[in-house]
Every structure is written in C-alpha cells, then in structure tokens.
Amino acid sequence: MDAIVVDGGRPLTGTVRVGGAKNSALKLMAAALLAPGVTTLRNVPDISDVAVMAQVLERLGAHVTRTDHTLTIDATTLTSHEAPYDLVVQMRASTCVLGALIGRVGRAHVAMPGGCNIGSRKVDIHIAGLEHLGVTISTEHGYIDASGPAHGARVALDFPSVGATENLLMASVLADGETVIDNAAREPEITDLAAMLNEMGASIAGAGTPTIMVTGVAALSAVDHTVVGDRIEAGTYLVAGALDSGPVTVTGFDPAHLDIVLQKLEHMGCLVVRSADAVTISREGPIRPVDIQTLPFPGFPTDLQAAFMALLSLADGGAVITENVFENRFIFADEIARMGADIRIDGHYALVRGVPALSGAPVRSPDLRGGAALVLAGLVAEGRTVVTDVHHIDRGYEGFVEKLRCLGAAVNRIDISDPDAAQSPSGGANA
Ligand code: EPZ
C-alpha cells in the first residue's frame, strides 16, 4: 500500500502543466456511446477514474484503447445496457452512462451509486428529469432501470446538479422534439460536453447558462475532441504556490474557469498574474483570512474547499467556510487538525482560526480532494507528513508527486509495507 511522504519547508517555485479535466473526460467517454464509430478523445488524464470508466464502456460492448493521453472509443456495436454495481461503486460518475444509453439504445440498467465520504450522492434529480422526458424508470434491488425512448420536454432542476444536467443532455440529443433544461448546471465541464455533442451533430444552445435548449436530431457521428483543461487540478497547484511564496506558474487551463478562486487568492494577499492559458501566483506578506462559500459554478468550487481550508489554516486571523454543495465535506478538517490546524465545525460551517505553523504528522487521505490538500499542508508544515490511502488521490491527480517535485517539493511516494521506506529521505528536486 502506498503513501506520500512530504518534508515541509522547501521553497516552491516553477511551472506545472495540468491535464484534461477528470470531471469532463469521464462524461465525454460516456458521450462516445451515442454514436456508432470510433471517437478520439485527446488530453485525457491518466488517472484511475478514467480506467474504471473504460471498463464500464467495455462491459457495454465498446472497445477502448489508450495511447499516451489519447483515448479511442469504438462504440460501433453495444452488447449490453448494464453498468454493474462492482464498477459503479468504484466510481459514482459512471451513472453518467444512464443518459447516453437511453439516447443510443433506449434502455439502461445502472447500479445506484450509493453514498460516499462527502455526501449521499443522490440521483433523484436525474430520475425526475428523465421521467419528464418520458423515460420509464424503476429503482429496485439497487439499480436504476430505465426504458425510453425519450421525447423532448421542458425540465426544471431542483438544484443545478452537474451529473443530472449531463444525463439529461445525453438523453435528449437524440430525442424527438425540443428539450429545455432550466436551472441547469453551468460548470465548464458542461460546456465542454455540449461542445463535443454539437461536434457530433447535436443541436444544443445555451450551455454554460442556466437554460439549455436541445433540438433532437436523428443520429450522431463519432468525433475527435480535446478535453478542456482541469480547473480543479490547476487550483490545487495554485494553492501550493500561495502556501509558500512562489512564484508558481500553472499552465494548461483557462483562467476564466477560476475567476472567483483567483479573486479570493488576491484578497488573501497573493499576486495573481493571468495569461491566456496560465496563471502565475506569488505571495510576500501574510495570508489574509477571507470567508469562502461553496456554490455551483460560477460560485466557489466545492472541489477546492479542502485546499483553501489548508491555506486558511495558516492565515493571520479567522475565517468561515460555508459548504453549500455537499452535506459531509468537512471530514478533511479532522485530519489537518492532527497537523495543528484550529478548525471548529458546526453543520455546514467551518470556523478556521489561523495558526503560526502546521506540524508534520501521519494523516489519512479521506477523499480525493482532501487527500491532495493534506499533501499541500505537508509542503509547508514543520517536519515530515506521511499521507496514507493515496489511492483516493490517484483517482483525480496524474503525476501528483512528480509535478510537486518539479516545483522543488521534498515529496516522495513509498510502499509503506516496506518498514524502511518511511525513514528514507523524501527526495525532491533539490535533494
Ligand atoms: C460533480 O459531481 C463532480 N464529479 C464533483 O467532483 C463536484 O464536486 C460536483 O459535480 C459539484 O461541482 C464529477 O463530475 C465526476 P452534483 P455530481 O450532481 O455530478 C445533490 C471531485 O472531487 N444531488 O452537482 O455528483 C448531491 O447530493 C468530485 O472531482 C441531489 O440531491 O454533483 C450534492 O449534494 C467530487 N440529487 C449536490 O446535489 C441529485 O439527483 C451536487 O451534486 C443529484 C445531486
């Protein structure tokens, strides 16, 4: 079993390039099911969630091959419409094949995702929306069973759910008639999915706004599409630059996708310089405390909440983080408290009182983003931090250790079943 070992205190500076967005690539892979033929996806991150989604597509009869960061998906013939529990339980995003299967074959049998460590991950909004499109749905024995065909309709979402918006888009692009999705999610990953579907021949307008219009078409064609840069991976490395003094440059993404995040970093005392596909961050003075409210895009992204909690743990004052998207996304706080952070949780509020320094400690990665944030905290903590359960981090960060070493961090990945490994130097670019 692996762990990430960090020796804090090294100056962090340099340039790191992010990959394609995990939260787009997974849905674009599902969208490939909508067209017979071979779809090519470029800038696909090499992360475990993509590998699981490839297994899901293979179970459905598609053939997936990877060459470096390019995937080809041959969805000419689908032989099943079932996304089985053993795969869906590994990666809840696999429920996004629901809409694509309804669109392509008019049937879907997808395991309910079940809860996870950040919240219940319900799918009631997905189901209500699909039923509005005329899809017959039953949920028995832990599975969603859906039978179409879907027809155009006006659907208003109770909450701008990213996954529900994506499933409704993929279920409606081949449906007869006009579909309007109101209170739709506006994340850049939605815009990327709509762009790919339109390249395939769909007729979608309004992606990125709260109202998306879809005119059903008869068929779609396979395409060659490049995945949008990962704004959350980018924000993670920008926080690394803010934790130390930088300058750190992050490339490979659209800074406009992090508007409110960059604004918060400036309010916290960072110098933020934007260019077309990169941001350079540095800091001279103290970290100033600012309150954070997570909200659907364009609000502050919940996926960067843990990283900002780490940053605020070292601010010269107190700040309140309000988590409005997931009901259980403060579990990271218990782990960073082991490093000396002073955080009080009350429901969906976290009061973070800045402390002069964090101290390295053995900690466990509670989830994908919390695990990455613990490594970030270790970069500036006094002494050694050992983060275990790093399989969570592998789900969404390709080459996390290597990219941090490029910035000068003393960080290494070890096999903790080897008793001597944890004692060895963590290495690092300047080791
Ligand atoms: C996507 O999850 C992302 N995952 C999440 O990133 C991200 O945090 C989230 O969007 C919000 O931006 C992927 O894209 C694979 P939602 P998703 O549906 O689609 C509730 C990461 O770390 N809800 O917008 O599941 C739900 O319980 C992951 O990369 C319902 O109640 O998010 C949650 O509280 C974590 N009923 C809230 O809405 C529903 O039918 C947001 O969920 C659907 C959702």
Side-chain angles (χ1 to χ4, degrees):
M1 188 165 68
D2 287 359
I4 292 177
V5 179
V6 196
D7 287 329
R10 293 289 183 84
L12 298 172
T13 183
T15 297
V16 68
R17 181 174 190 79
V18 298
K22 164 181 89 75
N23 291 347
S24 181
L26 298 173
K27 298 34 167 327
L28 302 180
M29 291 170 74
L33 296 171
L34 285 161
V38 180
T39 288
T40 299
L41 294 179
R42 301 179 191 280
N43 198 32
V44 178
D46 188 3
I47 53 178
S48 57
D49 270 9
V50 166
V52 173
M53 180 57 92
Q55 290 176 57
V56 172
L57 299 188
E58 293 274 350
R59 292 275 187 96
L60 298 171
H63 298 292
V64 184
T65 59
R66 172 190 278 278
T67 307
D68 193 20
H69 290 99
T70 298
L71 287 190
T72 60
I73 301 167
D74 183 348
T76 304
T77 308
L78 300 186
T79 54
S80 166
H81 59 267
E82 177 172 345
Y85 179 69
D86 65 304
L87 290 178
V88 175
V89 75
Q90 289 181 53
M91 203 257 303
R92 287 155 201 86
S94 9
T95 49
C96 67
V97 298
L98 187 61
L101 286 170
I102 291 167
R104 174 76 185 274
V105 299
R107 283 299 318 269
H109 193 69
V110 176
M112 303 277 275
C116 68
N117 31 21
I118 61 172
S120 61
R121 311 309 290 271
K122 292 186 291 193
V123 289
D124 55 323
I125 301 173
H126 298 241
I127 290 170
L130 290 170
E131 287 176 333
H132 246 84
L133 298 185
V135 179
T136 304
I137 294 197
S138 66
T139 54
E140 287 167 358
H141 309 300
Y143 275 78
I144 302 166
D145 194 75
S147 54
H151 58 64
R154 187 175 193 93
V155 183
L157 304 187
D158 283 1
F159 177 88
S161 154
V162 171
T165 302
E166 290 158 343
N167 263 327
L168 291 171
L169 270 178
M170 289 190 268
S172 61
V173 286
L174 291 169
D176 287 341
E178 306 283 326
T179 295
V180 176
I181 306 172
D182 256 333
N183 199 22
R186 301 169 55 186
E187 276 69 4
E189 294 76 34
I190 301 280
T191 307
D192 196 28
L193 172 61
M196 176 175 158
L197 290 168
N198 281 339
E199 290 156 18
M200 295 170 75
S203 174
I204 302 169
T209 77
T211 304
I212 302 178
M213 283 76 70
V214 182
T215 302
V217 296
L220 297 177
S221 309
V223 288
D224 184 321
H225 182 83
T226 298
V227 183
V228 67
D230 194 323
R231 61 194 170 101
I232 303 302
E233 187 187 6
T236 306
Y237 293 113
L238 288 170
V239 168
L243 276 165
D244 188 46
S245 50
V248 166
T249 298
V250 182
T251 67
F253 77 107
D254 181 348
H257 294 167
L258 283 181
D259 260 344
I260 193 161
V261 172
L262 300 179
Q263 182 179 288
K264 289 291 181 184
L265 288 168
E266 288 170 330
H267 291 171
M268 294 171 82
C270 298
L271 176 63
V272 174
V273 180
R274 300 174 186 217
S275 65
D277 74 339
V279 169
T280 297
I281 189 166
S282 57
R283 176 172 63 83
E284 287 173 3
I287 298 170
R288 290 199 293 266
V290 295
D291 292 346
I292 304 277
Q293 282 236 42
T294 68
L295 285 168
F297 192 88
F300 191 94
T302 174
D303 293 346
L304 286 175
Q305 182 251 100
F308 269 71
M309 187 179 281
L311 194 50
L312 289 167
S313 295
L314 291 166
D316 65 350
V320 176
I321 297 178
T322 310
E323 173 55 58
N324 293 308
V325 178
F326 286 101
E327 68 268 30
N328 184 31
R329 205 166 194 176
F330 284 143
I331 39 180
F332 161 78
D334 296 336
E335 289 302 310
I336 197 171
R338 294 174 43 74
M339 300 173 71
D342 178 353
I343 301 167
R344 299 184 192 297
I345 306 294
D346 179 3
H348 69 145
Y349 299 102
L351 170 61
V352 185
R353 291 191 180 96
V355 295
L358 294 174
S359 59
V363 288
R364 288 185 60 186
S365 178
D367 59 64
L368 162 58
R369 306 302 177 183
L374 286 168
V375 174
L376 294 182
L379 295 173
V380 290
E382 291 167 353
R384 173 162 286 191
T385 299
V386 180
V387 182
T388 54
D389 289 357
V390 295
H391 60 277
H392 288 295
I393 301 174
D394 295 338
R395 291 187 46 215
Y397 290 92
E398 180 182 349
F400 193 49
V401 167
E402 293 74 17
K403 291 180 179 178
L404 290 173
R405 287 170 76 112
C406 284
L407 298 179
V411 59
N412 216 339
R413 187 177 180 121
I414 61 167
D415 173 354
I416 49 176
S417 58
D418 167 6
D420 301 331
Q423 309 312 320
S424 61
S426 56
N430 310 321

